[in-house]
């Protein structure tokens, strides 16, 4: 302002309020920059990435389900296709032994005996494969169950098969669970049969069934004080036909724990074991939510 109090040309008149500033015109095509704009941009990018990851996860899940179904179908078909030639192998070998056994030399007789034994073992493996493949296709009906009743029933059954053994079963009065009755009964029976088998060399044994709380999760267990196993090989414990002991020590096919794991997985749970050589084994499992 000059000495006469008039505003000079081109000089904006001050209002005395610093908050009132004339807005500068925005250039066309330019977005406003600042913290808000950057947040919106980051959020949009995160949403796009989340959408992409969800699509990829859905694709991988569909692929895994298809592979699982194909594997189950393959196992079922192979198992059925193996049955006929096995029956012929065993049947004709037995026929030779019955009809011409007296005319055969001892060595030939021994060979045929080996063929029959091997064929019957193969039959057992085929049956085990069929049992494993059925687990993945069996419909599930989740119910509130009493595992104590199932355990007591099977304990009485295996006692009848070998009444001379001294085995103490520790089973709580009521051990509840939620799941499919047929599948969980199968899993529990395999675990109890396992414990019964691997305590066979003890004069007196104890088999315990129970549960404990781990945070909000219930962890069930079957424990024995039998032969146990080396934890260095625990990673192969639940593989089909994997054995921790020689067949001469403890006969078996090595399929029971694979069946148990598949049942637990179908319930959304997990299974693991802790053991010590000659110090027993404990199998833990959960049943998801």
């Amino acid at each position: 302002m000059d000495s006469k109090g008039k505003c000079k040309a081109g000089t904006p008149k001050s209002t005395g309020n610093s908050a009132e500033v004339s807005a500068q015109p925005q250039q066309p095509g330019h977005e406003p920059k600042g913290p808000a704009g950057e947040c919106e941009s980051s959020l949009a990018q995160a949403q796009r990435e989340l959408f992409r990851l969800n699509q990829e996860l859905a694709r991988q899940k569909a692929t895994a389900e298809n592979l699982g179904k194909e594997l189950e179908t393959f196992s079922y078909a192979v198992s059925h296709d193996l049955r006929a030639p096995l029956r012929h192998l065993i049947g004709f070998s037995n026929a030779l032994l019955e009809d011409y056994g007296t005319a055969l030399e001892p060595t030939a007789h021994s060979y045929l005996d080996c063929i029959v034994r091997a064929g019957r073992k193969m039959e057992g493996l085929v049956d085990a494969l069929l049992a494993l493949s059925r687990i993945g296709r069996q419909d599930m009906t989740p119910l509130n169950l009493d595992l104590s009743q199932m355990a007591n029933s099977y304990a009485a059954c295996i006692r009848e098969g070998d009444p001379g053994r001294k085995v103490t079963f520790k089973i709580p009065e009521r051990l509840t669970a939620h799941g499919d009755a047929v599948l969980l009964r199968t899993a529990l029976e395999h675990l109890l049969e396992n414990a019964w088998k691997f305590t066979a060399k003890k004069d007196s044994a104890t088999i315990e069934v129970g549960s404990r709380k781990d945070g909000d999760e219930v962890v069930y267990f079957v424990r024995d004080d039998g032969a146990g196993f080396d934890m260095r090989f625990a990673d192969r414990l639940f593989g089909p036909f994997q054995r921790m002991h020689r067949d001469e020590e403890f006969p078996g096919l090595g399929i029971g724990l694979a069946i148990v794991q598949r049942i637990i997985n179908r319930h959304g749970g997990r299974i693991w074991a802790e053991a010590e050589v000659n110090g027993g084994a404990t199998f833990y499992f959960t049943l998801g939510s």
Side-chain angles (χ1 to χ4, degrees):
M1 184 176 293
D2 60 10
S3 59
K4 295 184 179 180
K6 296 180 181 179
C7 293
K8 292 183 179 179
T11 304
K13 183 178 180 180
S14 174
T15 62
N17 189 346
S18 60
E20 295 179 10
V21 180
S22 60
Q24 297 294 324
Q26 295 182 3
Q27 296 296 324
H30 286 269
E31 297 291 334
K33 300 293 183 180
E38 291 177 0
C39 261
E40 289 179 2
S41 176
S42 297
L43 180 60
Q45 183 178 357
Q47 288 174 335
R48 288 193 296 270
E49 181 65 13
L50 180 61
F51 179 74
R52 186 189 68 79
L53 290 174
N54 283 334
Q55 284 188 316
E56 178 65 17
L57 182 62
R59 186 188 65 78
Q60 291 181 1
K61 182 180 178 182
T63 301
E65 288 176 351
N66 288 335
L67 286 174
K69 289 177 182 177
E70 289 176 5
L71 182 59
E72 288 172 5
T73 302
F74 173 77
S75 299
Y76 194 78
V78 167
S79 299
H80 272 82
D81 291 343
L82 286 174
R83 280 179 172 276
L86 271 175
R87 283 196 298 268
H88 293 155
L89 179 70
I90 296 170
F92 283 114
S93 296
N94 278 325
L96 276 173
L97 287 170
E98 291 173 4
D99 297 342
Y100 302 98
T102 56
L104 293 173
E105 295 182 358
T107 302
H109 203 285
S110 173
Y111 288 163
L112 282 172
D113 277 335
C114 286
I115 291 171
V116 171
R117 285 199 302 271
R120 285 176 178 161
K121 183 174 182 179
M122 188 65 184
E123 268 191 326
L125 294 173
V126 169
D127 289 340
L129 276 175
L130 281 172
L132 192 60
S133 67
R134 289 191 189 106
I135 296 299
R137 298 205 304 262
Q138 186 170 329
D139 292 334
M140 290 179 59
T141 305
L143 299 169
N144 292 323
L145 306 172
D146 185 357
L147 297 186
S148 296
Q149 184 180 11
M150 293 180 180
N152 280 313
S153 175
Y154 194 68
C157 179
I158 54 181
R159 276 187 187 280
E160 289 177 6
D162 193 354
R165 286 191 55 188
K166 295 180 180 179
V167 178
T168 300
F169 282 91
K170 294 183 177 180
I171 301 171
E173 289 186 5
R174 184 166 175 79
L175 184 61
T176 59
H178 188 74
D180 182 84
V182 175
L183 290 178
L184 285 185
R185 183 185 297 276
T186 300
L188 192 57
E189 288 179 356
H190 275 297
L191 290 175
L192 287 171
E193 187 176 355
N194 217 47
W196 180 266
K197 177 170 67 175
F198 289 108
T199 55
K201 296 185 182 299
K202 296 198 66 174
D203 295 332
S204 178
T206 301
I207 297 173
E208 182 181 1
V209 179
S211 68
R212 60 178 173 81
K213 289 283 287 184
D214 187 1
D216 295 331
E217 192 173 46
V218 179
V219 178
Y220 303 91
F221 64 84
V222 176
R223 177 179 293 128
D224 68 72
D225 56 356
F229 58 86
D230 194 333
M231 285 294 290
R232 290 179 300 171
F233 309 110
D235 57 333
R236 71 183 193 190
L237 188 64
F238 299 99
F241 309 120
Q242 295 292 330
R243 301 292 313 280
M244 292 292 187
H245 304 83
R246 294 192 306 272
D247 200 57
E248 299 79 22
E249 292 180 299
F250 300 100
L253 297 173
I255 197 69
L257 290 178
I259 289 174
V260 174
Q261 185 189 51
R262 183 162 294 190
I263 290 172
I264 299 304
N265 287 345
R266 287 207 64 190
H267 282 80
R270 65 190 194 283
I271 183 169
W272 67 99
E274 295 176 358
E276 182 182 350
V277 176
N278 297 321
T282 304
F283 288 87
Y284 300 95
F285 63 93
T286 66
L287 296 174
S289 56

